[in-house]
Amino acid sequence: MDRFLSPDNAVMQFINKIVSSVYLNLLWFICCIPIVTIGASTTALFYVSLKIARNEEGGLTKAFFHSFRENFKQSTIVWLILAAVGLVLGVDAYFLYHMRFENVFWTLITAVFIAAALAYAIVVMYIFPLMARFQNTTAAMFKNSLMIGMRFLLCTALMALIYFAMAVIVINYFTPLIIFGEGLCALLCSFLLKNILQQCEPGDADE
């Protein structure tokens, strides 16, 4: 029994990580309430989640708010840009859906919209982990998140599946699972991203 409850036990380490994701989800949600702080809160969430994925756990609260303060300005700018672009894409989707025409022009416009929406989704999934791990200009963050997401398509697909599965389960099957929400999604994505981001360390950054 003592061996099972030992902190070095693989099962206990797994349970600790899951519990940490619940706590981080709560911190993330509270810090997102002002809306404008969603970017900083998400960056802080990934900052700690990536540490957990690399087995570098420390004080979760201290690390979260350290990143929140450190990345607040850039994360907020990025979030506002993403929110504006998302709004434009949403309006475009509404009009494209309600103004369907069976001609080449509508098909072409729809294809361009789908490509733009996919690029937007890739950026959203990658840009906050990148800001949590690296320092760079805002323009470079957008470019790198798109390039990395397109280069590692399997990781991108798995991350999208994680978010999609969480949304479907919470909305349609088991709403209480929202207690894990973004925290668990970020942790699972961090396990997928840790080796990819390691390849983007300063020695490989220019490449």
Side-chain angles (χ1 to χ4, degrees):
M1 187 67 177
D2 291 339
R3 182 179 177 184
F4 177 78
L5 296 176
S6 171
D8 296 328
N9 183 282
V11 176
M12 288 303 299
Q13 289 181 359
F14 173 77
I15 293 174
N16 286 336
K17 292 181 190 300
I18 297 299
V19 172
S20 295
S21 75
V22 174
Y23 177 66
L24 289 172
N25 185 59
L26 179 62
L27 280 181
W28 174 81
F29 178 77
I30 292 173
C31 291
C32 283
I33 291 176
I35 305 299
V36 73
T37 57
I38 289 177
S41 184
T42 305
T43 301
L45 173 63
F46 273 102
Y47 177 81
V48 184
S49 295
L50 286 166
K51 280 183 169 293
I52 294 175
R54 299 195 303 270
N55 294 314
E56 298 175 359
E57 294 98 323
L60 300 182
T61 307
K62 183 178 179 180
F64 183 94
F65 285 105
H66 166 77
S67 175
F68 188 91
R69 292 189 299 270
E70 194 80 10
N71 298 292
F72 182 83
K73 182 178 179 180
Q74 185 177 45
S75 297
T76 301
I77 292 172
V78 166
W79 157 243
L80 293 176
I81 293 172
L82 290 174
V85 174
L87 180 61
V88 171
L89 288 174
V91 172
D92 288 344
Y94 176 85
F95 282 107
L96 283 172
Y97 179 78
H98 290 280
M99 299 176 66
R100 296 187 299 276
F101 299 103
E102 294 183 0
N103 57 45
V104 176
F105 179 74
W106 184 87
T107 302
L108 179 61
I109 293 297
T110 302
V112 171
F113 169 79
I114 292 174
L118 288 174
Y120 176 80
I122 290 173
V123 169
V124 169
M125 287 190 291
Y126 278 88
I127 196 165
F128 294 109
L130 281 178
M131 286 191 294
R133 186 72 184 272
F134 304 109
Q135 291 185 348
N136 213 328
T137 64
T138 300
M141 287 294 183
F142 275 97
K143 182 186 75 172
N144 292 339
S145 59
L146 180 59
M147 292 177 63
I148 294 172
M150 293 178 66
R151 178 180 177 184
F152 298 97
L153 286 176
L154 178 59
C155 178
T156 302
L158 290 174
M159 288 171 64
L161 181 61
I162 288 170
Y163 286 111
F164 178 76
M166 178 63 75
V168 169
I169 293 172
V170 168
I171 294 173
N172 295 320
Y173 298 104
F174 192 63
T175 303
L177 198 65
I178 197 170
I179 192 174
F180 294 99
E182 180 67 15
L184 181 58
C185 289
L187 181 61
L188 295 176
C189 290
S190 293
F191 279 106
L192 294 173
L193 287 169
K194 63 177 182 177
N195 292 330
I196 291 175
L197 296 183
Q198 189 174 356
Q199 296 179 43
C200 301
E201 290 289 347
D204 301 321
D206 293 338
E207 298 179 18

